[in-house]
Amino acid sequence: IADDFEKKMRSLLKRSGFENVNGGAKFFLGDNQIDACGGDDDTLFVVECKTSGRTGARLRKEIRELRGQIPSIKAAARRHEVYRAYRNFVFIIATDFQIHRRDLKTAGRTIRLWDRAFTTYYDQLVSKLGEYTKFSILGELGLKPEQSHDECVPCIKHTVRKMNLFLFAGDPRTILRWAYVARREVGSEHYYQRFVEAGKLNGIAKYIKDEGGYFPNAAVLAFNKKPRFRRINGIANRYPDWAKGRVEFGLLYFPAAYRSCLIIDGQHRMFGAARVSKPSIMMPMVALERATIEHQAQLFLDINSNQKQVPSDLLWDLEGDPGRIG
């Protein structure tokens, strides 16, 4: 059971896009056997795996033991041919059981704890999203990108009901570095989204790649970190009526933080399109600022519940009489 869980964690790191993944019974950094490790940018993630039966006092004892091994693991990694390139370290204990508040208190800020809900969720998610899972993991760990580069897109800003709406076209492969799918399956996070379905992602990728398909309807995002907007005055001066409708044109800068916005609607379109290896795939998007979680949930329900099926006779009118074509 322990070996299988360690392999599962190494697989999770590798499929999520972490580099130089290694670990196992025969892998050591100095005198310390390492269950799993992998790197991203300048950070090495070292994962110690614990399986059922190590709950309570025993788990807290092992947390303290790992804390004592940290200096020697860091020193050995800095002498390692591959891992000496990493300047920062994150130490994690991954479990296949539930952890408790006392465990978190013992771990403090030095060691991160992944409980059964965390490891199960991301093991399921990585099978559908692949390397994009990494950005969600990094965001949930509270880590920031090595380079604080803001993603910038031209957009139209519209203020309605005390909310800012930003309308723009973006490449999902870029936006998905900062956007994430809310995981309602975890008790500590109460969201409204459905879990992504691999079949839908494959179908959308095939539709775009093989059939030249395109989705004109916008994906809907919501910022949970404040974005920056810079108005372009030349456009505003040319169209003074825009100001009456609280409309502006300018540049939208995404916060340089993982999980800085979540996807309200269009997750399958975005992740499906991101699977297509084309130079650029632009999709229409709408991002909300200052939208409460309740408003996001209501908007999700409105989008997905209030749409009516197009009458069959209207479809016939739109398509025309096949006998007349030609």
Side-chain angles (χ1 to χ4, degrees):
I1 294 175
D3 289 343
D4 288 343
F5 187 62
E6 291 174 15
K7 291 177 183 178
K8 180 179 177 180
M9 289 302 100
R10 291 194 293 272
S11 174
L12 172 61
L13 293 176
K14 190 170 185 178
R15 290 184 294 158
S16 297
F18 289 88
E19 301 174 342
N20 302 314
V21 176
N22 211 329
K26 297 182 179 180
F27 181 75
F28 286 78
L29 286 176
D31 295 329
N32 307 284
Q33 184 268 323
I34 305 298
D35 294 336
C37 65
D40 178 71
D41 286 338
D42 65 344
T43 302
L44 181 66
F45 298 79
V46 180
V47 183
E48 183 80 5
C49 299
K50 305 298 179 184
T51 53
S52 299
R54 297 182 176 182
T55 58
R58 183 176 180 184
L59 174 62
R60 291 188 287 275
K61 179 176 180 291
E62 291 177 330
I63 292 173
R64 290 189 286 268
E65 289 176 352
L66 176 59
R67 184 182 290 112
Q69 296 169 353
I70 286 177
S72 63
I73 293 175
K74 287 183 177 180
R78 287 168 177 147
R79 297 190 301 268
H80 193 275
E81 181 180 1
V82 174
Y83 298 123
R84 64 187 179 190
Y86 297 102
R87 301 192 299 272
N88 301 313
F89 297 84
V90 174
F91 290 89
I92 299 164
I93 290 182
T95 74
D96 68 348
F97 51 83
Q98 183 180 359
I99 59 175
H100 302 284
R101 185 171 298 178
R102 289 185 64 186
D103 306 329
L104 294 170
K105 185 176 180 179
T106 303
R109 296 183 178 182
T110 307
I111 299 172
R112 314 297 180 95
L113 299 184
W114 289 357
D115 63 2
R116 178 172 54 201
F118 187 103
T119 56
T120 300
Y121 172 80
Y122 278 107
D123 185 59
Q124 295 174 353
L125 193 67
V126 74
S127 66
K128 300 174 175 65
L129 305 188
E131 62 183 10
Y132 290 101
T133 306
K134 177 180 70 174
F135 303 118
S136 188
I137 292 176
L138 295 175
E140 192 153 349
L141 288 172
L143 302 179
K144 297 181 179 180
E146 180 182 6
Q147 297 179 347
S148 58
H149 170 70
D150 288 343
E151 179 64 26
C152 173
V153 293
C155 77
I156 294 175
K157 175 185 175 184
H158 176 44
T159 303
V160 57
R161 295 182 182 178
K162 298 182 180 181
M163 288 188 304
N164 292 328
L165 279 68
F166 302 96
L167 293 77
F168 61 94
D171 188 335
R173 291 170 298 185
T174 301
I175 303 301
L176 287 175
R177 290 178 58 88
W178 319 117
Y180 71 105
V181 178
R183 53 190 184 107
R184 68 176 181 180
E185 287 80 5
V186 179
S188 60
E189 295 190 10
H190 301 288
Y191 288 115
Y192 44 83
Q193 264 287 19
R194 305 185 184 103
F195 199 74
V196 289
E197 299 179 15
K200 284 188 177 181
L201 301 183
N202 294 331
I204 288 172
K206 183 177 184 300
Y207 171 68
I208 295 174
K209 181 179 179 181
D210 298 339
E211 303 176 27
Y214 180 75
F215 295 96
N217 52 324
V220 183
L221 315 175
F223 285 110
N224 51 35
K225 296 183 181 295
K226 184 176 178 60
R228 183 163 61 93
F229 175 77
R230 182 166 66 86
R231 189 176 77 166
I232 299 178
N233 290 322
I235 300 294
N237 295 336
R238 187 173 178 181
Y239 299 99
D241 288 343
W242 282 23
K244 299 177 183 178
R246 310 187 77 178
V247 176
E248 300 174 271
F249 180 82
L251 298 176
L252 172 65
Y253 295 84
F254 274 65
Y258 303 121
R259 291 168 60 99
S260 61
C261 61
L262 60 87
I263 305 172
I264 296 179
D265 187 68
Q267 57 182 5
H268 288 96
R269 276 172 279 150
M270 292 184 66
F271 283 109
R275 293 189 174 194
V276 180
S277 56
K278 288 185 177 181
S280 179
I281 302 174
M282 305 300 286
M283 288 181 57
M285 301 183 188
V286 176
L288 311 178
E289 182 190 8
R290 300 198 297 263
T292 65
I293 190 68
E294 291 80 12
H295 182 78
Q296 295 170 30
Q298 186 59 55
L299 185 59
F300 173 81
L301 292 174
D302 290 344
I303 292 173
N304 290 279
S305 301
N306 294 339
Q307 301 180 50
K308 295 182 178 180
Q309 185 177 4
V310 178
S312 58
D313 58 341
L314 178 57
L315 287 174
W316 180 258
D317 291 340
L318 289 172
E319 293 175 358
D321 186 349
R324 297 181 182 179
I325 297 177

